Amino acid sequence: MIGGHKRAKSTNIKKQRQAQIRRQKQAEEEVQAPRKRPGMRGWVGPGRGEAGVVQMAEEWRGTTVQACGLWPFSVGTGTPMVGVPLGRNLSSGATLCCDPISWFQRAKLISNPSAFVLGKPGLGKSTIIRRMATGIAGYGGQPLVLGDLKPDYVDLIEALGGQVITLGRGRGHLNILDPGESRAAARRLTGKARSRVLADAHGRRLNMVSALLTIMRSSPPTDREETILDRALKVLDDRLDGTPVLPDLLKVVQDAPDEVRQVALDRGSMDRYREITDGLEASLIGLCGGGRLGETFSKPTTSPMVRDRPVVFDVSSIDDSEMDLQAAVLLACWSAGFGTVNVANALADAGLEPRRHYFVILDELWRALRAGRGMVDRVDALTRLNRQRGVGMAMCSHTMSDLMSLANEEDRMKARGFVERSGMVICGGLPAAEMPMLQSAIPFSEAEQNMLKGWQDPPAWDPATNKEAEPPGRGKFLVKVGGRPGIPVNLQLTSVESGIHDTNKLWHQTSRVGSAEPAASETTEATPVTELTEATATTSEETGQGTSGDRTSHTDTDVSAHS
């Protein structure tokens, strides 16, 4: 028994030692041999869990804050560096370069070279457009301000060496029958190119006469009247060597040449011709002899527009109460401006001049749209054809409500399309009520909406200086392109721009009325007002709780003297 037990124990120890040697050898082999991995369907073999169908893995998206532990090396994307430098990105501090022409032509970031700027007054809408215009001029473009209503761009265009054309009652004239540079360009062209330039000039003049008649009558001219005007303009060009004016057109209608009588369908009766043209003649007399539109369009052009320099039409002298005159002048400026653009394109297509790209600025767009009938259609046509004409555009308005407050529903839908079709939308501070209307045109995230609403908050008072601090949203804008996240930027002006980009010039000098500290040059004139103010304050104080008899006597003397 004892011997058998010893033999069994020895056998178990030998087996354990052999098993330990096998495990050690297997471990060494596993270290040396490559480790096996499961295939696409799992471990192959009986009982190893091979999958018959491979399901797609679930994907999750998170921000860099939420997923920083899974992917700690992510950083924000850089801002575009193509175009006019605007300022610093409020999120990353990187420099943002942005303008509609560069982003369309060079960077290929937008499909339409246009920008729409929205924001409450005083936050820098005109300033950011002026910065773009300055940079585009440096790149070789030509800024065109076709109707400066404030004015905001006169100083800039003068600083750029451009042309300032002043229009208004007694301040300048714009002849709508002047073909501009079309005749000079036609003499340099041949064939179809020459015919197209002349036909474009004729069409623009006819459209402008019809537009002025529409404003005068508050209704468009009839088809027969437009046909008469068309034929009369052709007769006028054949008979007159120089540049015609509206009185010349009126004389052709009154003289009743055979060519005009044929399209008037007078049936050989002069009395019938007079009856047909009676209303047209009366309207043309109104355009030539004054009335609501004055003599702005009835005399030769005071300052002909050139095509090789920046240009601004200063129409700020026209009061907002003269809506008809304002609408007529804006239409005439747009017609003259785009006529010049067409001439430049025709000469460039023929290889006679280098290609020029123009940057057209339509600031205070809400005032232009409300100026009269047909303005919305004109702007709608410009926003649809600017890319084909080689023109970049910048439109500016306060809020979406300005565009949606037009009287006609059809006009309101067209006005909303201005924002929808813009290559980029640049927003400053906006009230919360604007967000639903803005969302209907372009998507904004909740964070972006809160940012815009915060920028429109009123400024705080500085108790140290007793003055209003700078508004929190001044110079801050959000650049949106389609559905992409917006780029917040802080516009930074140079010392040179600060003197030019000033829309509060009329408020730099303090009025003497109510001034507590008059200027040195005005001390003599302001003394009576100051003394009277002190006397009034003294009298009020003594009426409430005065105790000094000498002071009361002095006050009475001052008041009596000034009385």
Side-chain angles (χ1 to χ4, degrees), residues 405-470:
S405 61
L406 299 173
N408 193 339
E409 175 63 24
E410 183 180 356
D411 289 344
R412 289 195 292 269
M413 297 301 295
K414 293 178 182 178
R416 191 178 72 175
F418 301 160
V419 181
E420 296 174 345
R421 287 193 301 273
S422 296
M424 65 176 69
V425 178
I426 303 175
C427 295
L430 291 170
E434 288 295 312
M435 297 306 155
M437 287 181 285
L438 194 61
Q439 280 277 80
S440 64
I442 185 170
F444 283 79
S445 66
E446 185 176 354
E448 292 171 344
Q449 295 181 42
N450 293 333
M451 184 184 300
L452 298 181
K453 288 185 286 187
W455 287 346
Q456 62 94 35
D457 291 340
W461 288 94
D462 189 349
T465 60
N466 290 328
K467 293 182 180 180
E468 190 179 67
E470 185 174 343

Side-chain angles (χ1 to χ4, degrees), residues 215-231:
I215 295 174
M216 285 282 294
R217 301 175 174 182
S218 298
S219 62
T222 63
D223 295 341
R224 180 180 292 184
E225 288 176 333
E226 287 192 348
T227 305
I228 293 173
L229 289 173
D230 176 70
R231 189 58 57 89

Side-chain angles (χ1 to χ4, degrees), residues 24 29 57 107-108 116 137-138 141 173 261 391 397 448 496 505 507:
Q24 185 176 0
E29 292 178 355
K108 311 296 183 183
F116 203 106
H173 302 89
R261 292 185 61 181
V391 171
S397 187
E448 292 171 344
V496 177
K505 293 181 179 179
W507 295 96

Side-chain angles (χ1 to χ4, degrees), residues 55-295:
Q55 297 181 352
M56 292 293 295
E58 294 186 2
E59 296 183 4
W60 300 87
R61 176 177 295 180
T63 64
T64 54
V65 176
Q66 296 169 330
C68 59
L70 299 177
W71 186 253
F73 308 109
S74 59
V75 294
T77 59
T79 55
M81 292 293 291
V82 179
V84 178
L86 294 186
R88 296 287 184 181
N89 189 319
L90 292 174
S91 300
S92 63
T95 301
L96 172 65
C97 298
C98 173
D99 71 84
I101 293 181
S102 298
W103 277 26
F104 173 78
Q105 184 181 28
R106 294 191 288 155
K108 311 296 183 183
L109 294 175
I110 56 178
S111 58
N112 186 11
S114 61
F116 203 106
V117 183
L118 290 165
K120 292 185 67 176
L123 299 182
K125 299 186 302 300
S126 300
T127 302
I128 193 172
I129 296 178
R130 285 194 295 264
R131 164 61 70 85
M132 290 183 181
T134 304
I136 289 174
Y139 288 138
Q142 303 291 339
L144 296 181
V145 187
L146 304 181
D148 192 356
L149 295 164
K150 279 190 174 180
D152 284 340
Y153 301 88
V154 172
D155 293 341
L156 173 63
I157 299 300
E158 287 180 344
L160 294 175
Q163 181 184 19
V164 178
I165 302 175
T166 304
L167 297 176
R169 294 187 185 274
R171 290 174 172 82
H173 302 89
L174 181 59
N175 180 18
I176 62 172
L177 299 186
D178 189 351
E181 297 181 317
S182 299
R183 288 181 177 176
R187 289 192 291 267
R188 301 173 60 186
L189 298 170
T190 58
K192 293 183 178 180
R194 181 177 185 274
S195 301
R196 284 195 294 265
V197 169
L198 294 176
D200 176 73
H202 176 78
R204 285 190 298 104
R205 294 188 298 168
L206 177 60
N207 289 334
M208 272 309 306
V209 176
S210 300
L212 294 185
L213 293 179
T214 301
I215 295 174
M216 285 282 294
R217 301 175 174 182
S218 298
S219 62
T222 63
D223 295 341
R224 180 180 292 184
E225 288 176 333
E226 287 192 348
T227 305
I228 293 173
L229 289 173
D230 176 70
R231 189 58 57 89
L233 282 173
K234 294 179 179 178
V235 172
L236 184 60
D237 290 337
D238 294 338
R239 293 184 177 182
L240 191 66
D241 294 333
T243 301
V245 291
L246 280 176
D248 297 327
L249 179 62
L250 172 62
K251 192 174 186 307
V252 171
V253 176
Q254 291 174 339
D255 291 344
D258 293 338
E259 298 93 328
V260 178
R261 292 185 61 181
Q262 290 177 0
V263 298
L265 300 177
D266 62 357
R267 311 300 183 188
S269 172
M270 182 58 69
D271 293 337
R272 178 177 171 82
Y273 175 81
R274 297 299 181 193
E275 181 180 354
I276 293 172
T277 60
D278 184 63
L280 179 60
E281 185 176 346
S283 298
L284 290 176
I285 291 174
L287 292 176
C288 298
R292 285 179 293 167
L293 303 185
E295 298 180 348

Side-chain angles (χ1 to χ4, degrees), residues 287-302:
L287 292 176
C288 298
R292 285 179 293 167
L293 303 185
E295 298 180 348
T296 305
F297 310 103
S298 59
K299 294 184 179 181
T301 300
T302 306

